[in-house]
Amino acid sequence: QVQLVESGGGLVQAGGSLRLSCAASGRTLSTYAMAWFRQAPGKEREFVAAIRGSGGGTYYADSVKGRFTFSRDNAKNTVYLQMNSLKVEDTAVYYCARAGGSVWYGSADFGSWGQGTQVTVSS
């Protein structure tokens, strides 16, 4: 059983930056695909970014491509989401999730979730 704990959310002005962290306990993350999702008030949860396990590539939603960077530190068993040039529409609760293997085929493949961290971007 893996436990995922997000941190790093907060209030930032548009154009600013935040770095979210997702630390895992119980299981190593390095071989698993990881993802960030977000859910804004009144909206459905949406995919933000993902990274394959074992040194695989990263993938981003079009809405964040070029602004967000997903990385992992295997020694710390932690993944990060660096968010730059933040926009008001990035406001949401951000969740990290772990897939059951090194790749994923849909959001249903992510079975382990953190509790979420709030990101609020003001204009």
Side-chain angles (χ1 to χ4, degrees):
Q1 186 76 13
V2 65
Q3 291 184 323
L4 303 174
V5 179
E6 302 98 333
S7 61
L11 173 64
V12 64
Q13 286 191 325
S17 298
L18 284 174
R19 188 178 79 157
L20 305 184
S21 300
C22 175
S25 61
R27 286 286 184 96
T28 181
L29 295 180
S30 62
T31 59
Y32 294 92
M34 299 291 297
W36 288 94
F37 291 80
R38 67 186 182 186
Q39 188 166 21
K43 295 187 177 181
E44 293 192 354
R45 186 175 61 197
E46 64 173 354
F47 169 82
V48 175
I51 188 168
R52 286 188 173 184
S54 301
T58 52
Y59 302 85
Y60 299 92
D62 288 343
S63 59
V64 306
K65 201 172 295 182
R67 300 188 297 122
F68 290 10
T69 304
F70 197 165
S71 62
R72 66 164 87 217
D73 184 334
N74 292 332
K76 295 183 178 180
N77 216 27
T78 299
V79 297
Y80 303 96
L81 185 68
Q82 178 66 44
M83 306 186 296
N84 298 329
S85 303
L86 282 161
K87 304 177 181 179
V88 171
E89 52 263 42
D90 294 319
T91 296
V93 178
Y94 284 70
Y95 299 89
C96 76
R98 196 203 75 176
S102 62
V103 297
W104 73 95
Y105 300 98
S107 59
D109 290 328
F110 293 95
S112 299
W113 294 79
Q115 83 289 348
T117 186
Q118 176 71 46
V119 171
T120 303
V121 184
S122 63
S123 59

